[in-house]
Structure formats: C-alpha cells, structure tokens
C-alpha cells in the first residue's frame, strides 16, 4: 500500500483531533499514575498475568465498559447529527459512515460479547463449585486476544482511517475499490484476533462445565446461568469458525487480490452476506442467551422462589440455539432469494418466538406469588421483560418476509434490534454486574444511585428508540447522515436524541456510583450479601477476590439451587473439619506477550508492511514453543495457608456480626 | 493434577492426570470447531466450483498421478502415527519415536509434493488471484497444507520433549493429541481428494 506518512495519522476533522489529544493525554495520565504510585509490578503480577477466573472476568468487564464508553460516544454523536434536519455537526457523510460502522462493530464485538464472557468468568466456575476453569492459561490468552484485537480496531480512527462499510462489511462496499485505505483492514484483523479468543473461551467453558462440576451437580441441577453459558459456548464453537473463514477471505480479497466476493473474476458478493449472517445470526444468541441466564438467576433470587419450569427453560435454550443457525437469510429477504427460500426462513424465524415465549411466561410465573424485593438488579430484570417483549414482537413483524419489504433498512429495524440488544443484553450486563459486584469487589454498589441510573436509562431508552419505530414506518432509511425539513422526520428524531442523552447521563451516574461506592459503601463480609437470599453456589463462598481457590472444600450438591437447599437443611458449606492442600495454576506472562505480537502482526498486515507482519508471526510462534516446553505444573496452596485464609474470613464475619 | 478416582494400571498414560483428560476432551471440542472451519471452506469451494471466469479450468492442470501419490503418503502417515500411539501404550519408547519419525518424513514428503503442485499450477497460470475458483481452491488446500505444516512442527517439538523428559503422562498426552490432529487432517484430505480432484477429473 502506498501510504504517505502524512496520511498515516488521520487529520482534518476537529473531532478526530480531539480524540487524538484525549488518547494521548489518557495514555500519559495512566503511565504517570502507575509510575507515581509504583504500581507497574502490581499490575503485571496481580492482573496482567493472572489466571484467576474472577480477575480475568473483572478485566473483561473493565475493558468492555471502556469500549462501551467509546461506542456510546459514537452513538451520541450520531444522534446529535440527526437531531435536526441538515445538521452540519459531523461535516460530511464519510465521517458519519465511519461512526456508525465503529459504533455497531464495537457494541457487538467489543462490548456485548466480552461483557457477558466477563460475567461468565466471574460466576460460572463458582456456580458449579469448581476451583477455576479447565484451561486457565487459555483463559488469560482469550482475554488478551480480545483486548489487543479491540486496540487494533480502535486505533483505526486516529491512525490510517476508520472502517466505513457498516458493521456487516458487505462486499463489494468493503472492497478496495469502494473502501480504499487501511480502514477496513483494521476491521478484518481486529475481529480476527478477537475471534480466536472467543473460540478459545467457548471450548474452555464447555470443558469446564461438562467436566468440573462439584459432586452431585447433575446437568439438570445446574443453575440457569451455567446452562446458558454451556449452550452459548456450543454456539460459539459452531459459529465462530465461519467468521474466521469469512474474514480471512475478505482479507485475501483486499490484500492479495483474490476473487471470493467481487464479481470480477467470478466471485460472489452474496457469499459474504451468507457467511457473515451464518455467523452473525448465532452471534445474536451468543449475546442474548447468557442475558436470559442472568435474569433467571436474579428473578429467582429476588422473588425468593425456585425457577418456574426449569426443564422447559433448558429445552427452550437448546431449541433457540438450534434454530439460531437456521434463520440467517432473514437478514436479507429483499435480496431476491425467491418465495420458497424466504418462506422457509420466515417460518423458522417466527419459530424462535415459541421457546422465547416459553421463557417469558416462566419468568412471569416465577414472579407470581413470589416475595419480591425491588433491589437494583431486580428492577433491571423486571424492566427487561416488557421492553424485550416489545423488541420480540416487532421482530416477528420483521420476520414476515412480505412485510419486510416495507420495513427493510428503515429505522423500524434499527429500533427492533436496539430493543432486543439493549433491553436484553445491556440491561443484563448492568444487572449482572450489580448483582455479582459484591462477589467481585467485596461491597455492594449504592442502591439509591443504582435506582436513579435505572430509571434514567429505562426512560431514556424508550424515549430514544420507541419513536424510531414510527420513523421507520414513515420511511426514514437507516444509515443516512442527514435529512430535509420537508421529510417530516424532525420531531421524532429530536425526541430520540433527547433519549440518547438521557442514557448517556444514566451511564455517568453508573460510573460515579462505582467511585462513590468504593469510597463510602460498607464492606461485605458474609459472602451472601443479598439479604441471605442467595440460591446458587457462588454465594456459598466468601466475597471479593482474595480466596483464589474459590472453595476451601468443594461443596456437595443435593439438588437444584444448591446453596438454598443447604440453608434449608442447616448445612454450613464453610464448616470444615479438615483442611487440605489445594493445587492451583501459576500466573503467566506468555499470553500477554503472544497477543502483543498478534497486534504487531495485525498492524503490519493492515498497512501491507510485510516485515512487521513477519516479526509478529515469529513472535507468536516463539511464545507457542515456549509454552509447549514450559513445565509449569502450578503450585500448592498448603492446608495451613487455606486454614489461615478461611479463619481470617470467619473472624471478619464475626466482627461484622458481633 | 493427579487423579484421585481412578489411577489404575488400566488407564492409559495420557489419561492419567486430570489435566490430561481435560486436554483431550478440549481438543475434541477444538476439532469440532475445525470441522466447521473446513466445512465453510468446502462450502465456498463448491459454490465457486464452476466460476473460473474464462481463465484456466482445473481439468487442464490437475495431475492425478501426483495427487494419488500424495494421498497414499498422507494416508500411510496417519497409519504410522497410529502405530506410534500403539507402541506408546505398550511403553516401547524407541519404537514409538521411530514411528513418529516415519510419520514426520511422510508428512514432509506430502508437503513437498503439495508445494511442487502449487508451483506447477502457478507456472501454468493458475494462482490465488486468477479466478474465484482458483482462490477457493488455493484457500482450501492451502489451509489444509498449513495445518499439515503445523502438525509437523508440533510433532518435532513433542519428539524433542520425549527425548528430554521421557514418556510421562504429560508427553504421552501431547503425543496422543497430536496424533488425533494428524488423523483429522487425513480425514479432511479424503474429502479434498474426492470433492476436489475426483469430482472434477472422474465424475464431471
């Protein structure tokens, strides 16, 4: 690629200059703080190299929240641009294209997916009574592939130029001819690197859940979140390799002039569309099923009842996961597949509403006659049900192939998928984070601020997206960067923008709540912080990160809602007659270094700088060989240490209670 | 981690530790992902099978003789890697190393022939960028070839480790997994042989 040095750094747009300056200042700020407080070694030893699933989960969540801020700022810039007709805010269409592309890509790949994987990391091993995941090294590697893949994608807006072909990157729009420059390459390689880690996570959790359950925890006694983690992991294994291949083919088309997706030389653009959605549709369920699991946990806990229809819930998830692979064509009904094909995919899409409906009724039945406590996680779960249902019902409307010709590529669609993805996934991310916050950090987030955030976000969300259904029915296409006063879309667009900013403010309250709670909230010592309502095993062990072995003694499971059962039977899971040595894995810096080389290699490919790409590849191989030869067998936490740790926790509890 | 529940004599070495058992099960999951990966490549190949865009068609360059030799080489290597595992189970380290060595030689032979084949096709005007058909051909076979190359490198690393450390549950576990991988590549090649070469030369 012939790239002049003055094109290397993106110039011209005031917002991008502001972005560059803020990135520079933030980086310098972080370096200064870490150096001033002498925290580099701590960061490396305690976090970067950690193989502890809870710490990895926390790192996932922190990184996802940072990505959420970036993609959220993108969203507010778009909403500002569309607030009034002929708005000059973003200058030109190109800039708008880049912003909606990065907004979509980051929200799906670098927020929703890793956020949920973070929560899986925090909760799933605890829920099944395991000490860690099956492959702790691989777990650390997965996190860093996500992190460095995200970094590679994100630097595109200050270096080289951002991708502009939409998050679905349709060919030939994403080809060299129509998307010149390195922007689309950043998309391809950033996603490719992240995808490796996601696949590894899928394998890791399947093995963890199938092989490492505590004694007595049969499959049909597993908590619902563990079930959704298992099924999601299986979908990941089935879907992500498709993305890997599709991305590789587009990369080849752009870098080595192959002809997979361009009509020239016989390629087929439709094949990209098919492969993309053959991954992309299951991906929708990768980010919604764990959310269902989180809500199931929260609703049972705060309704103080067993989950209604547990078995039907499991079958519903399994059915949804199967159907998720059979509906991908509904993303392009209007591309001329013919009535038979469209009918098949129309019906298979509508069929998904059946198991989903089963789940909704199960949640409602669980609430029925429950002793409901309106805690912050619970209000998110309760808010989820009606909002998600609105998204689901409009989804069925879209599933009617004939009617889809009317809605296709309008704001009706935009509103639909925001209703399912925000009310489903994002609500669940907030709910799950608040719910498991005491497990991660040893304190509860402030409830008053939590309720403020919830109401602002809930109202803002509906104010933002409900008008968009009507904008869509009124014919406003998606992805336009401006419109005329005579189009008549001003009023609803303006309302929508107000809603977007309300959500922004709600998020600021969330961030403030984290700071406020860290300073002023009382520390949690019981391990079962939600008023003793905890039902599953993660609440049977002490709070917060330190006891890295999870359970001093692996609990024995006697039924569903294992911890609740123990409480009923008067069993103290922490009562230990004899302490035993615990074998734990060692920390390792190898994955971090390997992923830095992946970043370097990816960066070289983006700019066709082969020597840099080769350096990256060699670095990756050296790390792999190092790993193969290492004889790291982990370490033993001696019975004595376990006893000290556990007695310390007991004393803390006695202090709190006494 | 040593297993507590069944450290019996009957248990093969590679299954004797808990980590070893997880590794093998995890690798089966990985092979599931690999099946999806190759299915996508095959799907692409079959979609583009007649889209040579008036460039050189495969029937003009495919040479069945070479492909047959390649096929026999790879199939034999799968057999010899199986013999290596057989000897490993019996505890005959030297014989096991010899069979792995033979597997490696056959694997390298296959790779050499494949590189020769690709160079030959390129000299006749069929490259990655010639047409959609050839793009998908080279991506499918190249991905398989790359996997074989990785397998060779992997076996070499394991050989060194067995030489250094002897046959332990850890090295046995690695050898077993590498042989699973090698068999898998063999299965993929059978699909390539029938779906790519036979289909164009004999059937169509």
């Amino acid at each position: 690629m012939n790239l002049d040095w003055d094109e290397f750094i993106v110039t011209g747009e005031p917002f991008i200059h502001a972005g560059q300056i803020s990135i520079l200042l933030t980086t310098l700020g972080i370096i200064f703080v870490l150096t001033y407080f002498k925290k580099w070694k701590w960061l490396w030893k305690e976090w970067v190299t950690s193989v502890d699933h809870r710490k990895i989960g926390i790192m996932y969540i922190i990184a996802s929240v940072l990505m959420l801020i970036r993609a959220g700022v993108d969203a507010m810039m778009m909403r500002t641009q569309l607030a009034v007709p002929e708005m000059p805010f973003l200058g030109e269409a190109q800039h708008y294209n880049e912003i909606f592309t990065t907004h979509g890509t980051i929200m799906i790949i670098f927020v929703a997916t890793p956020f949920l994987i973070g929560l899986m990391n925090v909760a799933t091993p605890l829920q099944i009574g395991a000490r860690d995941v099956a492959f702790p090294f691989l777990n650390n590697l997965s996190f860093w592939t996500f992190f460095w893949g995200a970094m590679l994608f994100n630097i595109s807006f200050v270096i080289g130029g951002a991708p502009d072909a939409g998050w679905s990157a349709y060919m030939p729009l994403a080809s060299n001819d129509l998307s010149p420059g390195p922007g689309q390459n950043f998309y391809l390689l950033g996603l490719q690197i992240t995808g490796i880690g996601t696949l590894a996570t899928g394998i890791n959790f399947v093995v963890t859940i199938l092989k490492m359950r505590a004694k007595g925890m049969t499959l049909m006694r597993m908590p619902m979140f563990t079930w959704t983690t298992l099924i999601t992991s299986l979908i990941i294994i089935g879907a992500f390799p498709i993305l890997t291949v599709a991305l590789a083919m587009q990369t080849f088309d752009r870098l080595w002039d192959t002809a997979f997706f361009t009509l020239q030389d016989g390629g087929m653009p439709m094949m990209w569309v098919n492969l993309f959605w053959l991954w992309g549709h299951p991906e929708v369920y990768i980010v919604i099923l764990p959310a269902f699991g989180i809500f199931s946990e929260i609703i049972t806990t705060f309704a103080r009842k067993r989950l209604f229809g547990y078995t039907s819930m499991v079958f519903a998830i399994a059915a949804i996961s199967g159907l998720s692979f059979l509906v991908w064509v509904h993303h392009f009904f209007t591309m001329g597949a013919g009535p038979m094909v469209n009918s098949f995919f129309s019906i298979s899409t509508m069929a998904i509403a059946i198991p989903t409906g089963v789940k909704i009724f199960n949640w409602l039945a669980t609430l029925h006659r429950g002793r409901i406590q309106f805690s912050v996680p619970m209000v998110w779960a309760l808010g989820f049900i009606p909002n998600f249902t609105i998204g689901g019902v409009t989804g069925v409307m879209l599933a009617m192939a004939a009617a889809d010709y009317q809605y296709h590529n309008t704001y009706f669609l935009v509103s639909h998928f925001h209703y399912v993805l925000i009310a489903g996934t994002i609500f669940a991310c907030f709910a799950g984070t608040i719910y498991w916050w005491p497990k991660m950090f040893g304190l509860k987030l402030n409830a008053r601020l939590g309720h403020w955030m919830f109401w602002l976000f809930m109202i803002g969300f509906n104010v933002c997206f409900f008008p968009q259904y009507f904008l869509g029915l009124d014919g406003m296409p998606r992805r336009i960067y401006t419109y005329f006063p005579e189009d008549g879309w001003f009023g609803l667009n303006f309302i929508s923008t107000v809603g977007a900013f309300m959500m922004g403010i709600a998020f600021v309250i969330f961030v403030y709540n984290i700071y406020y709670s860290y300073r002023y909230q009382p520390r949690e010592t019981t391990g079962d912080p939600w008023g003793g309502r905890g039902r599953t095993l993660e609440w049977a062990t002490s709070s917060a990160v330190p006891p890295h072995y999870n359970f001093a003694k692996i609990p024995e499971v006697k039924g569903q809602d294992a911890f609740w059962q123990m409480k009923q039977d008067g069993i103290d899971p922490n009562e230990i007659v004899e302490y035993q040595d615990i074998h734990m894995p060692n920390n390792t810096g190898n994955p971090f270094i390997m992923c830095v080389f992946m970043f370097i290699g990816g960066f070289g490919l983006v700019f066709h700088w082969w020597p840099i790409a080769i350096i990256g590849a060699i670095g990756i191989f050296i790390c792999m060989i190092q790993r193969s030869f290492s004889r790291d067998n982990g370490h033993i936490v001696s019975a004595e240490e376990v006893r000290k740790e556990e007695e310390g926790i007991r004393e803390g509890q006695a202090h709190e209670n006494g | 981690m040593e297993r507590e529940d069944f450290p019996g004599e009957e248990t093969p070495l590679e299954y004797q530790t808990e980590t070893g058992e997880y590794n093998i099960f995890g690798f089966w999951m990985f092979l599931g992902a690999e099946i999806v990966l190759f299915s996508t490549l095959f799907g692409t190949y079959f979609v583009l099978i007649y889209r040579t865009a008036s460039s050189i068609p495969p029937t003009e360059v495919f040479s069945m003789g070479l492909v047959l030799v390649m096929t026999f080489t790879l199939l034999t290597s799968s057999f010899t890697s199986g013999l290596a595992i057989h000897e490993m189970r019996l505890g005959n380290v030297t014989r096991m190393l010899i069979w792995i060595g033979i597997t490696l030689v056959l694997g390298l032979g296959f790779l050499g022939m494949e590189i020769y084949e690709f160079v030959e096709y390129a000299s006749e005007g069929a490259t990655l960028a010639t047409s959609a058909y050839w793009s998908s051909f080279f991506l499918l076979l190249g991905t398989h070839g790359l996997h074989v190359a990785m397998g060779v490198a992997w076996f070499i690393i394991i050989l060194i480790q067995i030489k250094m450390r002897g046959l332990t549950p850890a090295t046995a576990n690695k050898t077993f997994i590498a042989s699973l991988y090698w068999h898998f590549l063999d299965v993929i090649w059978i699909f390539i042989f029938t779906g790519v070469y036979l289909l164009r030369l004999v059937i169509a």
Side-chain angles (χ1 to χ4, degrees):
Chain A
M1 179 178 292
N2 291 319
L3 194 74
D4 294 331
W5 278 103
D6 59 329
E7 287 172 29
F8 183 69
I9 302 284
V10 179
T11 52
E13 282 287 338
F15 282 109
I16 292 178
H17 290 305
Q20 284 161 338
I21 292 166
S22 65
I23 288 175
L24 194 71
L25 289 179
T26 313
T27 314
L28 289 175
I30 292 169
I31 292 172
F32 174 77
V33 169
L34 286 173
T35 312
Y36 185 80
F37 292 103
K38 296 191 174 65
K39 287 289 186 191
W40 284 104
K41 202 174 165 190
W42 165 82
L43 189 69
W44 177 261
K45 287 189 81 162
E46 294 292 321
W47 292 92
V48 174
T49 61
S50 176
V51 290
D52 180 341
H53 68 92
R54 282 201 252 182
K55 284 187 176 175
I56 290 172
I58 289 169
M59 288 196 288
Y60 259 114
I61 291 169
I62 292 170
S64 310
V65 167
L66 292 175
M67 290 290 98
L68 182 63
I69 293 172
R70 195 243 141 128
V73 170
D74 280 349
M76 286 195 283
M77 280 159 71
M78 283 191 283
R79 277 322 315 170
T80 309
Q81 169 67 26
L82 292 172
V84 295
E86 299 183 279
M87 180 79 161
F89 178 65
L90 288 177
E92 49 173 337
Q94 173 64 18
H95 195 190
Y96 187 81
N97 292 349
E98 291 173 3
I99 290 174
F100 76 65
T101 301
T102 51
H103 168 75
T105 314
I106 293 176
M107 280 296 189
I108 296 283
I109 304 283
F110 302 124
V111 178
T113 317
F115 209 131
L116 291 167
I117 290 177
L119 292 171
M120 287 179 200
N121 261 298
V122 169
T124 305
L126 287 166
Q127 285 196 329
I128 60 171
R131 293 246 148 82
D132 203 332
V133 294
F135 308 115
F137 175 93
L138 198 65
N139 204 13
N140 183 292
L141 181 71
S142 296
F143 170 72
W144 287 114
T145 57
F146 149 59
F147 182 85
W148 285 107
M151 288 302 108
L152 186 63
F153 182 86
N154 270 275
I155 55 166
S156 68
F157 97 101
V158 288
I159 294 175
D164 59 359
W167 91 281
S168 48
Y170 279 10
M171 289 295 257
L173 184 61
S175 67
N176 281 330
D177 290 338
L178 297 173
S179 287
Q184 185 60 22
N185 297 349
F186 277 114
Y187 168 98
L188 293 166
L189 288 147
L191 262 62
Q192 190 71 280
I193 292 171
T194 307
I196 296 167
T198 311
L199 177 63
T201 299
I203 294 172
N204 212 338
F205 277 96
V206 170
V207 180
T208 305
I209 294 170
L210 290 182
K211 290 274 181 188
M212 297 175 75
R213 276 166 291 137
K215 195 177 166 204
M217 180 164 286
T218 58
L219 285 177
M220 292 312 270
R221 284 178 181 175
M222 293 198 311
M224 196 45 64
F225 181 63
T226 302
W227 257 114
T228 55
T229 305
L230 175 64
I231 303 265
T232 301
S233 302
L234 290 169
I235 302 180
I236 288 175
I237 294 174
F240 263 78
I242 305 172
L243 178 72
T244 305
V245 173
L247 289 174
M249 291 198 285
Q250 194 178 102
T251 311
F252 272 60
D253 268 11
R254 289 182 60 91
L255 261 54
W256 291 291
D257 299 319
T258 53
F260 291 109
F261 303 126
T262 40
L263 281 171
Q264 201 186 358
D265 297 328
M268 290 177 84
M270 274 310 290
M271 202 169 58
W272 168 265
V273 181
N274 274 294
L275 289 179
F276 183 85
W277 288 114
L278 201 46
W279 159 78
H281 198 83
E283 167 69 15
V284 171
Y285 292 91
I286 291 169
V287 297
I288 200 63
L289 291 182
F292 289 168
I294 291 168
F295 290 128
S296 299
E297 299 295 327
I298 291 172
I299 287 170
T300 48
T301 302
F302 295 104
R304 220 170 176 143
K305 272 179 70 186
R306 272 170 71 122
L307 189 65
F308 181 88
Y310 174 91
T311 316
S312 64
M313 209 72 147
V314 172
F315 282 108
I317 309 165
I320 291 171
S321 75
L323 286 169
S324 74
F325 283 93
L326 299 176
V327 301
W328 79 93
V329 173
H330 73 213
H331 292 268
F332 42 98
F333 279 146
T334 62
M335 286 202 198
M340 280 307 284
V341 172
N342 277 359
S343 302
F344 172 82
F345 286 96
S346 180
I347 291 164
S348 59
T349 303
M350 289 178 200
I352 287 192
I354 299 166
T356 314
V358 168
K359 298 174 77 69
I360 299 275
F361 284 113
N362 280 343
W363 288 315
L364 293 177
T366 309
L367 291 167
H368 180 64
R369 294 195 172 175
R371 285 156 68 190
I372 296 171
Q373 182 194 354
F374 292 94
S375 67
V376 183
M378 188 61 166
V379 290
W380 282 105
L382 295 176
F384 149 79
I385 296 174
N387 284 306
F388 187 80
T389 307
I390 294 172
V393 169
T394 51
V396 177
M397 286 169 74
L398 282 158
M400 296 185 277
D404 186 62
Y405 278 78
Q406 178 67 25
Y407 320 128
H408 189 77
N409 264 346
T410 69
Y411 265 77
F412 189 88
L413 169 76
V414 175
S415 187
H416 155 70
F417 68 69
H418 282 93
Y419 258 91
V420 284
L421 281 170
I422 294 182
T425 306
I426 298 299
F427 280 23
C429 289
F430 287 141
T433 307
I434 295 163
Y435 181 59
W436 283 308
W437 194 270
K439 241 342 98 173
M440 294 188 270
F441 300 104
L443 54 99
K444 274 157 87 171
L445 286 174
N446 182 279
R448 199 179 154 76
L449 286 168
H451 281 288
W452 270 101
M453 176 214 181
F454 167 75
W455 285 108
L456 255 175
F457 197 94
M458 243 284 284
I459 296 167
F461 164 70
N462 279 289
V463 170
C464 181
F465 292 105
F466 209 71
Q468 292 183 8
Y469 283 123
F470 299 99
L471 281 171
L473 294 174
D474 209 11
M476 180 170 163
R478 66 200 281 216
R479 293 176 176 148
I480 55 167
Y481 87 108
T482 194
Y483 53 93
F484 298 110
E486 50 274 32
D487 289 328
W489 299 326
F490 164 62
L492 291 174
N493 264 306
F494 190 82
I495 295 170
S496 180
T497 302
V498 171
F501 278 88
M502 285 174 75
M503 282 189 278
I505 296 166
F507 186 76
V508 172
I509 294 176
F510 179 62
V511 174
Y512 174 72
N513 194 359
I514 292 172
Y515 165 79
Y516 177 88
S517 304
Y518 174 72
R519 287 291 297 274
Y520 304 113
Q521 283 288 101
R523 265 46 184 173
E524 204 286 307
T525 52
T526 60
D528 189 12
W530 296 106
R533 283 171 175 247
R535 306 180 74 83
T536 39
L537 283 180
E538 73 265 36
W539 308 109
T541 182
S542 59
S543 276
V545 175
H548 40 89
Y549 44 77
N550 286 352
F551 301 92
K553 187 188 81 184
I554 298 292
E556 207 179 318
V557 178
K558 296 263 166 54
Q560 262 172 39
D561 293 338
F563 184 43
W564 187 255
Q565 183 112 23
M566 287 175 191
K567 285 191 272 193
Q568 302 304 323
D569 299 347
I571 298 168
D572 177 6
N574 294 310
E575 189 187 314
I576 291 158
V577 186
E578 190 189 0
Y579 287 96
Q580 281 178 335
D581 290 354
I582 294 175
H583 182 267
M584 293 303 291
N586 286 334
N587 286 3
T588 165
N590 182 315
F592 180 82
I593 297 166
M594 200 194 298
C595 293
V596 170
F597 278 115
M598 285 187 196
F599 176 86
I600 292 169
F603 191 78
L605 285 180
V606 165
F607 289 99
H608 304 206
W609 291 337
W610 312 123
I612 293 181
I614 292 166
I615 290 170
I618 292 171
I620 296 167
F621 282 120
I622 291 175
C623 288
M624 286 165 82
I625 292 169
Q626 193 276 336
R627 165 68 182 166
S628 179
F629 276 92
S630 92
R631 302 181 85 163
D632 182 1
N633 285 324
H635 60 277
I636 302 284
V637 185
S638 72
E640 188 56 22
E641 280 172 73
V642 178
R643 191 180 60 79
K644 268 188 196 154
E645 182 98 55
E646 291 294 309
E647 282 175 3
I649 294 163
R650 270 325 95 65
E651 264 167 42
Q653 284 173 0
H655 187 71
E656 194 79 2
N657 297 334
Chain B
M1 268 178 252
E2 295 297 326
R3 287 201 65 112
E4 287 141 20
D5 45 344
F6 62 101
E9 298 262 314
E10 316 291 306
T11 314
L13 211 51
E14 67 271 19
Y15 280 101
Q16 277 186 6
T17 63
E18 218 162 53
T19 335
E21 202 196 319
Y22 296 167
N23 286 347
I24 293 170
F25 186 63
F27 196 76
W28 278 108
M29 289 294 128
F30 172 73
L31 286 184
E34 289 275 75
I35 289 171
V36 179
L37 184 121
F38 276 102
S39 305
T40 312
L41 290 170
F42 275 108
T44 306
Y45 177 82
F46 289 124
V47 166
L48 301 174
I49 193 161
Y50 296 116
R51 301 180 80 98
T52 44
S54 67
S55 72
I56 186 165
T59 38
E60 268 180 38
V61 287
F62 280 177
S63 83
M64 210 53 196
L66 180 66
V67 174
L68 273 174
V69 179
M70 282 165 73
T71 306
F72 278 116
T73 313
L74 198 66
L75 260 62
T76 314
S77 79
S78 197
F79 180 63
T80 54
S81 83
L83 288 176
I85 298 302
H86 180 69
E87 295 295 348
M88 181 178 91
R89 291 263 168 91
L90 296 176
N92 301 327
V93 182
T94 320
R95 284 197 201 164
M96 170 190 167
L97 292 182
I98 291 171
W99 285 120
I100 293 179
I102 295 172
T103 308
L104 273 175
V105 171
L106 292 170
L108 282 169
F110 171 85
L111 274 179
M113 283 184 274
E114 184 155 70
I115 291 166
Y116 170 80
E117 186 199 11
F118 282 7
V119 172
E120 195 69 8
Y121 292 177
S123 72
E124 293 180 43
T127 66
L128 202 58
T130 304
S131 68
Y133 171 80
W134 285 110
S135 299
S136 63
F137 172 87
F138 281 109
L139 189 68
L140 172 59
L141 271 84
T143 306
H144 177 265
L146 191 68
H147 276 70
V148 174
M150 296 283 281
V152 167
W154 193 4
F155 262 133
I156 291 173
I157 289 169
I158 291 171
L159 265 186
I160 298 169
Q161 286 177 21
I162 298 174
K163 267 284 175 205
M164 283 164 58
R165 298 168 192 168
L167 195 60
T168 64
T171 50
N173 188 257
K174 287 180 184 187
T175 319
F176 183 75
I177 289 174
S179 83
L180 281 184
Y181 184 66
W182 200 259
H183 291 311
F184 171 77
L185 296 180
D186 204 56
V187 174
I188 296 294
W189 180 260
I190 292 169
F191 281 95
I192 291 178
F193 179 69
T194 43
V196 175
Y197 293 105
L198 278 189
L199 193 69
R200 280 319 281 277
L201 285 180
V202 183
I203 302 166

